[in-house]
Amino acid sequence: MAIFVDTINRQLTFGEHTRQLEPKVNLLLQALIKANGDIVSREQLIEQVWQGRIVGDGAINRTVSLLRQHLSALDSHNDFIITVPKAGYKLLHIKNSQLIPEQKPVVIELKNTLLKYKTHIILSLVLLTFLLVMTVWFKPQVNVKFKQAERITAQFGAEYSVSTNKIGDKLLYQHFDNETSSRQLYLLTADQNAKKLLPNKHIKNAAMSPNGQLFAMSYQNKQTCQIAFYDLKKYVTNNIQTCAPDSLARFTWHWNSQDIYFRSRENKTQPYKISRYNLKTSRKSLITLPQSHGNLLGDYLLDHHLNKNWLLVARYIDENNTQLLILNSFTGQTHFTYEIPYHVNALSWLNSEYASFAAKGDIYLINTLTGEINFEFKGGQSINSMDATQHSLFFTTLERASHVFKQNIKTGKRIAIDKNNAIAQLPKISSSGQLSYLSKKQSSFEWQLVKGNSTSTIDIDLPFEMGFDRYEWSENGRFILFTKQGAIYQIDVQNNVYQKLTDNKTGAFVANYSPNGNIIYSSNRSGQWQLWLYKAIENTHEQLTQHGGYSGRVKNNTLFFTKFNENGLWQINLATGDEQKLIVNVDIINWLNWQLIDKTIYFYRPESGIWKYAIDTAEETLVLAPSNRFLHQYAVSKDQKSIYFIERQNIEGDIYKVPFSINK
């Protein structure tokens, strides 16, 4: 079966599945097809796709990445776009013969018996042509124009989670203080007076009502999380329901200011679902219930229409794809559904037809009636939230950095390994003592390798961007193992090449090396998360667990592992099948974040830090007490003398206002 390309309607078709292409992606595909398998240079792409306009490497990389994602979503077995270093790109597996031909006009031969009607036919055709032209000519064209962004706040620290009332003279937002690592809710009014609200409550998130008299919020009250709304006139808090501590609620309001819509989940093993709460009746109803199979976020973003009973929802597919749904906000009935090749970080309605969303710091416009998407402008490193009135879009930016530190476990002495003003994450140590971590010094994450005083980058062109992706070193320190979109990949660090070991249907989420060159990975393709053994030489898969498994490692014919929805760390004797819980209080936040070195298990406990557990004696010892900037990402060296970990640096972010006009 082949992928067919419709460049007129900007669509890819594979069997019953269709993908809608963005305008630039469609032009890129046309340029690659036109080359008929030859290399197309970046200069040629700039000329053909961007009409000679000067663009940076980031724009080209992003467009190529989007096309790769579209093609991979339809056919994950083939690599369609090959990067030729220092030369350009070439397209495989798609030929000119797969282009859907343009429809040619049908030629009607008038026979002699119809000649007497010739004049009438010609006049009818002329009239029909005229009507078609007039219809197109006078069809209302919607023109959305964004003006220059204006910064609203400039405090030290970060402003985030912004919301506004209907007329835009009240802004509700949260502020993060770098010095104290505390959060505070603020109300900014038209006179530029910022007032602290509920300073004694630990507020996790909040959203302003359209009439500006109320706001919905979630807050921590001792050991209990509460979802509530607050009356700004009566100064009264009204609780709606309790919430899980690891459930971060998000809110939006119906335009009548009487209905609150919010996301919630039972715990981090369940997807977010959206509920509606009516203030007059105090009744709550469920609006969405996404399938939990393989979906750890579910319906994670929401925004209500300005004057229709429409709820815009972002449903998580994977780290590169999102499903946008437009639902009836009272019945949950689906009006429109669009799958888009972006991970959406924020969204907001602009008017009856258009909405805006943010992905990786870029702001896009989507026609919610047709699904057409256009890039508008770059908002910042990352956009955390947005809200809009009829004439202005408000959004918050976040600029983050994190550093890698090395600490001597015995003496406590530590040094900074990475001090770049960028995000560093997921440190790992190879058997030879080589440190690796993912760094976002450029527009996307790259592996950094540190040996002694030397730092280098793994120069490899993957068919996707890396993000917060767990990975593992091979025992000989030559290969890196990781999963992406359900497939297992391996990188040969010496030769800077990668290999796709399994297809996406494997459903692998986290993979670790096992003795004898095998791989242990987790997958929920059987209905729940279990651990599987993949024998690469034989190309076979064997299920190892029957009662749940999420991250596993083998030592001396014993499988040590965590489970997806239950605290603890288990072991199974692979010879007898006997299973027992080894460490009781290992939080599910530590699903993947643990190590097995010789006869010692290292794991993280929230609030208290990194611990080690001696398998022979069951003795537990604290290894690293965290600071308030600790991000519980760590790696212990093979000799168990050093621990590498990540600490957050200062977070900066502001609120911006972008006036816009929509003309028809």
Side-chain angles (χ1 to χ4, degrees):
M1 186 182 297
I3 292 178
F4 288 94
V5 182
D6 183 350
T7 58
I8 303 301
N9 296 307
R10 295 193 280 111
Q11 289 182 338
L12 298 176
T13 303
F14 186 70
E16 299 179 353
H17 302 283
T18 300
R19 300 283 290 193
Q20 188 71 39
L21 301 180
E22 297 80 3
K24 286 289 187 290
V25 175
N26 187 48
L27 291 174
L28 168 66
L29 180 57
Q30 291 183 56
L32 293 173
I33 292 176
K34 184 179 177 182
N36 198 25
D38 291 335
I39 297 173
V40 182
S41 68
R42 286 179 172 250
E43 291 73 18
Q44 290 174 305
L45 290 180
I46 291 173
E47 184 64 34
Q48 296 178 47
V49 179
W50 284 271
Q51 290 75 49
R53 181 167 57 90
I54 298 175
V55 295
D57 288 344
I60 299 174
N61 295 340
R62 183 164 52 246
T63 308
V64 172
S65 177
L66 286 174
L67 179 55
R68 277 175 167 152
Q69 290 173 34
H70 282 301
L71 294 167
S72 178
L74 294 175
D75 182 359
S76 62
H77 297 285
N78 292 307
D79 290 330
F80 289 89
I81 302 175
I82 302 299
T83 301
V84 182
K86 300 181 181 179
Y89 303 92
K90 63 179 179 178
L91 183 70
L92 304 179
H93 310 299
I94 295 181
K95 303 176 182 178
N96 283 313
S97 60
Q98 292 168 235
L99 287 169
I100 296 176
E102 298 181 33
Q103 297 296 318
K104 296 181 180 179
V106 178
V107 179
I108 303 175
E109 295 183 2
L110 297 177
K111 299 189 180 292
N112 291 333
T113 55
L114 299 177
L115 288 177
K116 60 181 179 178
Y117 299 109
K118 181 177 181 180
T119 303
H120 298 288
I121 293 173
I122 293 175
L123 288 174
S124 298
L125 289 173
V126 170
L127 179 60
L128 179 61
T129 303
F130 174 76
L131 291 174
L132 288 173
V133 170
M134 294 300 290
T135 300
V136 174
W137 185 270
F138 289 104
K139 182 182 179 181
Q141 297 294 315
V142 179
N143 185 19
V144 182
K145 290 185 178 180
F146 287 91
K147 298 180 181 178
Q148 186 69 30
E150 171 192 356
R151 189 165 67 174
I152 301 298
T153 61
Q155 295 175 258
F156 176 69
E159 287 75 61
Y160 62 100
S161 189
V162 67
S163 61
T164 180
N165 61 337
K166 186 174 183 179
I167 61 176
D169 64 348
K170 292 181 179 178
L171 286 183
L172 188 73
Y173 65 92
Q174 288 182 274
H175 173 74
F176 179 82
D177 188 297
N178 284 307
E179 295 297 325
T180 61
S181 295
S182 62
R183 295 166 172 82
Q184 181 62 56
L185 186 66
Y186 280 86
L187 177 63
L188 180 64
T189 54
D191 59 4
Q192 299 298 307
N193 179 34
K195 177 184 177 183
K196 285 185 180 181
L197 298 178
L198 305 178
N200 296 323
K201 286 188 182 296
H202 178 59
I203 297 175
K204 302 170 73 173
N205 215 336
M208 174 71 69
S209 65
N211 62 14
Q213 298 175 11
L214 308 159
F215 64 83
M217 65 176 176
S218 64
Y219 69 95
Q220 194 72 27
N221 182 15
K222 295 182 180 179
Q223 300 300 318
T224 305
C225 173
Q226 293 282 349
I227 292 177
F229 66 93
Y230 184 79
D231 191 317
L232 286 163
K233 286 189 174 182
K234 298 179 181 179
Y235 309 107
V236 175
T237 299
N238 299 274
N239 291 332
I240 295 174
Q241 69 172 49
T242 59
C243 48
D246 57 0
S247 173
L248 178 60
R250 290 184 183 271
F251 304 93
T252 188
W253 288 79
H254 191 280
W255 45 265
N256 62 16
S257 294
Q258 290 298 314
D259 291 278
I260 303 172
Y261 296 82
F262 60 93
R263 75 174 197 185
S264 61
R265 63 182 181 183
E266 297 174 13
N267 54 57
K268 67 182 294 185
T269 70
Q270 301 296 318
Y272 281 108
K273 54 191 177 183
I274 295 173
S275 300
R276 176 175 68 92
Y277 179 85
N278 183 271
L279 273 63
K280 287 186 176 180
T281 64
S282 299
R283 293 185 61 184
K284 190 183 73 169
S285 57
L286 191 64
I287 299 297
T288 69
L289 185 60
Q291 293 183 348
S292 61
H293 184 73
N295 190 336
L296 299 184
L297 280 181
D299 296 335
Y300 68 104
L301 293 177
L302 64 162
D303 191 53
H304 200 283
H305 199 280
L306 302 175
N307 49 40
K308 291 183 179 180
N309 294 330
W310 281 7
L311 187 67
L312 179 62
V313 173
R315 178 170 291 174
Y316 179 83
I317 298 177
D318 56 43
E319 62 265 38
N320 296 313
N321 296 278
T322 305
Q323 189 178 48
L324 291 182
L325 303 98
I326 299 173
L327 311 175
N328 182 296
S329 55
F330 288 96
T331 67
Q333 179 185 358
T334 302
H335 294 303
F336 301 96
T337 302
Y338 304 109
E339 185 172 324
I340 61 174
Y342 305 92
H343 176 71
V344 177
N345 297 318
L347 51 76
S348 177
W349 284 100
L350 298 182
N351 75 340
S352 60
E353 186 175 348
Y354 284 91
S356 184
F357 68 86
K360 294 184 178 179
D362 296 331
I363 292 181
Y364 298 84
L365 190 70
I366 180 170
N367 184 321
T368 60
L369 304 182
T370 67
E372 182 178 0
I373 296 172
N374 290 296
F375 170 76
E376 292 301 321
F377 58 90
K378 189 162 189 66
Q381 185 188 93
S382 176
I383 293 177
N384 167 268
S385 65
M386 59 171 54
D387 199 7
T389 65
Q390 292 183 345
H391 303 291
S392 297
L393 174 68
F394 297 89
F395 66 88
T396 57
T397 62
L398 280 180
E399 295 184 4
R400 294 172 292 178
S402 52
H403 295 168
V404 183
F405 289 88
K406 175 184 179 181
Q407 181 165 312
N408 184 294
I409 292 177
K410 185 176 181 179
T411 66
K413 182 180 179 181
R414 73 176 194 170
I415 58 172
I417 301 296
D418 182 304
K419 289 188 176 181
N420 291 292
N421 189 27
I423 298 174
Q425 62 187 28
L426 300 176
K428 288 284 185 179
I429 303 293
S430 70
S431 57
S432 64
Q434 181 169 252
L435 168 69
S436 63
Y437 60 93
L438 284 165
S439 175
K440 199 172 185 180
K441 296 178 184 178
Q442 308 299 325
S443 59
S444 59
F445 281 103
E446 296 176 317
W447 271 291
Q448 302 294 304
L449 302 180
V450 181
K451 199 161 189 178
N453 296 321
S454 175
T455 301
S456 60
T457 301
I458 297 180
D459 185 17
I460 187 168
D461 185 64
L462 296 168
F464 41 72
E465 291 187 8
M466 295 299 296
F468 194 77
D469 298 292
R470 302 284 179 171
Y471 65 96
E472 178 98 345
W473 279 98
S474 64
E475 187 63 29
N476 60 9
R478 177 173 175 176
F479 299 101
I480 287 177
L481 186 74
F482 67 96
T483 63
K484 196 74 173 181
Q485 299 171 358
I488 301 176
Y489 290 84
Q490 182 174 260
I491 291 177
D492 184 336
V493 177
Q494 290 183 7
N495 298 312
N496 286 345
V497 295
Y498 73 90
Q499 180 184 7
K500 189 175 183 179
L501 301 180
T502 69
D503 62 26
N504 301 68
K505 293 180 181 178
T506 304
F509 185 70
V510 60
N512 297 313
Y513 284 111
S514 181
N516 304 320
N518 299 324
I519 294 169
I520 296 174
Y521 68 91
S522 59
S523 174
N524 64 354
R525 65 178 183 268
S526 65
Q528 69 174 123
W529 290 100
Q530 303 286 0
L531 287 173
W532 297 72
L533 179 68
Y534 173 63
K535 297 181 179 180
I537 297 177
E538 303 171 15
N539 194 26
T540 60
H541 300 263
E542 175 190 344
Q543 187 172 329
L544 295 178
T545 59
Q546 301 298 325
H547 307 291
Y550 204 51
S551 173
R553 295 177 173 87
V554 170
K555 187 79 172 179
N556 297 330
N557 210 34
T558 299
L559 173 65
F560 299 89
F561 63 100
T562 57
K563 294 187 178 182
F564 178 73
N565 55 2
E566 188 176 350
N567 292 339
L569 193 143
W570 281 258
Q571 66 177 11
I572 288 181
N573 185 311
L574 295 177
T576 64
D578 293 336
E579 176 182 319
Q580 70 179 68
K581 184 179 285 189
L582 190 65
I583 310 175
V584 176
N585 56 345
V586 175
D587 194 275
I588 56 175
I589 197 174
N590 204 71
W591 276 334
L592 314 175
N593 196 22
W594 62 280
Q595 279 184 265
L596 173 61
I597 304 177
D598 295 332
K599 296 182 178 181
T600 303
I601 294 174
Y602 291 86
F603 65 96
Y604 168 73
R605 278 201 180 112
E607 310 301 332
S608 63
I610 308 300
W611 291 75
K612 69 176 182 179
Y613 175 91
I615 297 174
D616 289 343
T617 64
E619 181 183 359
E620 295 184 1
T621 308
L622 180 64
V623 176
L624 177 69
S627 68
N628 60 2
R629 293 173 178 257
F630 179 62
L631 294 181
H632 61 83
Q633 299 173 34
Y634 68 93
V636 178
S637 61
K638 299 298 181 181
D639 60 10
Q640 303 185 56
K641 293 181 179 179
S642 301
I643 182 169
Y644 298 81
F645 57 93
I646 303 293
E647 280 194 354
R648 170 189 58 80
Q649 302 305 300
N650 287 341
I651 300 175
E652 296 297 333
D654 297 300
I655 301 174
Y656 288 84
K657 174 183 178 181
V658 185
F660 64 86
S661 59
I662 303 178
N663 303 316
K664 292 187 177 181

